[in-house]
Amino acid sequence: MYILNNTGNQPLSINCSANVSWVANATACPSGLAAGSSANVTFRFNGTAQSLGLKTVLLSFTNPNVSQTSIANVTVVDATAASITTDRSEYEGCGI
């Protein structure tokens, strides 16, 4: 789960995405985030039809002024499961 915090004093427009088709938002990415508020975003990783082994997935959180990317290292251990670690779980300040 990723926590998006808007610590600024203006609302934000936000887009959440991944660079591979087998990763999708499990919770809706908020299209806007009011000043001083936060939102949880969860991605679902579907390892079906992926070859076994380590995969690197880029998760992007963008607004018109700031873009943050988190790298998710995903290890596909069988056709239906994945083990996931990420290097960052919270974006804060300057928009995201």
Side-chain angles (χ1 to χ4, degrees):
M1 176 175 62
Y2 292 82
I3 303 168
L4 306 179
N5 290 308
N6 181 355
T7 59
N9 59 8
Q10 297 293 318
L12 299 173
S13 298
I14 298 173
N15 182 38
C16 305
S17 61
N19 69 332
V20 293
S21 62
W22 51 277
V23 175
N25 289 97
T27 57
C29 180
S31 61
L33 194 58
S37 67
S38 63
N40 296 333
V41 177
T42 303
F43 286 87
R44 175 169 288 136
F45 295 77
N46 182 353
T48 303
Q50 297 299 311
S51 60
L52 302 181
L54 181 65
K55 312 287 184 201
T56 298
V57 178
L58 301 178
L59 306 176
S60 298
F61 305 93
T62 59
N63 77 18
N65 301 311
V66 177
S67 178
Q68 293 287 334
T69 301
S70 179
I71 298 172
N73 291 309
V74 179
T75 302
V76 178
V77 294
D78 66 35
T80 59
S83 171
I84 301 147
T85 58
T86 62
D87 67 347
R88 187 133 184 213
S89 63
E90 186 171 334
Y91 293 95
E92 181 172 344
C94 294
I96 297 180

